[in-house]
Amino acid sequence: MIELWHCEGARSFRALWALEEMGLPYCLHMLPFPPRALRKEYLSVNPLGTIPYLIDGEERLTESAAIPHYLATRHGPSPLALAPEEPGYGAYLNWLHHGEATLTFPQTLTLRYTVFDLQSLHAQVGKDYRKWFLSRLRMLSATLEDGRAHLVGGRFTMADVVVAYAIQLAGVTGARAEIAPHVLAWADALQSRPGWQRARAAEREGAAALAP
């Protein structure tokens, strides 16, 4: 069975959402954040101490943007991934990487220096990266201006999973109020999907079990 290590609200939610969209059986291991500090024994499972961490047979994956694509292709074929011969395949891959490297990474610095470490001398770094994130939303905003429901391929794919999480995270960083309404509407609509709702329910249940 697939095993996933996850922290509530973290980018590992992409993997959890993808598992639910695929309807794959899995075992969820919930951890407090940051696990490398609060669950040091986790380092014996994943030496990086990061989440997500996914085990599937002999495979070990740590990247939240790679896991959804891996699941859709390894456990497919699935309409949740575009095939190389399909129009838009390049855009599909680009959105997978854009969602993490361009839209999520800067927000992790904002979280670190303006939310988690309020005593940090680097608070301005967090504020600067928040502006950086907002400026990099231009491609997503332009793509969604036509009112489309999905980023590429005319259907819901793992690209939507990866990018929508970045918008979801903006609610934690405080950037949500500065995101264009049509971008928020797109991301919020995806939360009505049964797969997202099942993932959120599993996450809440697991988090509740962690509470002292």
Side-chain angles (χ1 to χ4, degrees), residues 47-116:
L48 292 176
T50 57
I51 44 91
Y53 189 66
L54 183 136
I55 293 179
D56 182 19
E58 297 301 315
E59 303 290 354
R60 306 289 188 270
L61 289 89
T62 61
E63 298 300 320
S64 69
I67 289 171
H69 178 67
Y70 165 83
L71 293 172
T73 51
R74 172 59 65 87
H75 294 277
S78 168
L80 295 172
L82 265 66
E85 64 273 12
E86 286 188 81
Y89 177 68
Y92 165 75
L93 291 180
N94 197 68
W95 281 119
L96 288 176
H97 292 277
H98 185 82
E100 172 58 21
T102 302
L103 299 182
T104 299
F105 173 71
Q107 295 193 83
T108 65
L109 295 176
T110 298
L111 284 171
R112 177 173 181 178
Y113 294 123
T114 66
V115 177
F116 294 131

Side-chain angles (χ1 to χ4, degrees), residues 175-193:
R176 181 181 168 89
E178 299 178 64
I179 297 176
H182 69 284
V183 175
L184 293 177
W186 165 78
D188 291 349
L190 293 177
Q191 295 185 10
S192 67
R193 292 184 61 85

Side-chain angles (χ1 to χ4, degrees), residues 7-205:
C7 296
E8 186 176 18
R11 67 184 90 181
S12 45
F13 184 77
R14 289 169 171 149
L16 182 57
W17 185 5
L19 284 164
E20 289 291 352
E21 290 286 350
M22 291 287 295
L24 297 171
Y26 64 90
C27 176
L28 180 62
H29 303 280
M30 290 294 296
L31 297 168
F33 187 85
R36 58 184 171 272
L38 299 177
R39 288 288 189 276
K40 293 187 181 297
E41 64 273 20
Y42 175 56
L43 292 170
S44 67
V45 177
N46 173 14
L48 292 176
T50 57
I51 44 91
Y53 189 66
L54 183 136
I55 293 179
D56 182 19
E58 297 301 315
E59 303 290 354
R60 306 289 188 270
L61 289 89
T62 61
E63 298 300 320
S64 69
I67 289 171
H69 178 67
Y70 165 83
L71 293 172
T73 51
R74 172 59 65 87
H75 294 277
S78 168
L80 295 172
L82 265 66
E85 64 273 12
E86 286 188 81
Y89 177 68
Y92 165 75
L93 291 180
N94 197 68
W95 281 119
L96 288 176
H97 292 277
H98 185 82
E100 172 58 21
T102 302
L103 299 182
T104 299
F105 173 71
Q107 295 193 83
T108 65
L109 295 176
T110 298
L111 284 171
R112 177 173 181 178
Y113 294 123
T114 66
V115 177
F116 294 131
D117 186 3
L118 296 179
Q119 305 303 315
S120 173
L121 298 177
H122 304 292
Q124 188 58 47
V125 173
K127 295 175 183 177
D128 289 345
Y129 270 96
R130 175 177 165 176
K131 293 178 182 178
W132 194 93
F133 159 70
L134 291 167
S135 73
R136 295 305 191 275
L137 284 172
R138 286 174 292 192
M139 188 169 81
L140 180 62
S141 182
T143 299
L144 297 172
E145 276 181 342
D146 60 5
R148 69 181 66 186
H150 305 117
L151 287 176
V152 66
R155 64 182 189 267
F156 178 78
T157 70
M158 293 305 187
D160 295 293
V161 168
V162 171
V163 178
Y165 171 76
I167 305 305
Q168 180 179 327
L169 184 60
V172 181
T173 64
R176 181 181 168 89
E178 299 178 64
I179 297 176
H182 69 284
V183 175
L184 293 177
W186 165 78
D188 291 349
L190 293 177
Q191 295 185 10
S192 67
R193 292 184 61 85
W196 188 94
Q197 305 229 339
R198 289 192 300 269
R200 185 69 180 105
E203 178 182 65
R204 283 175 172 158
E205 181 179 356

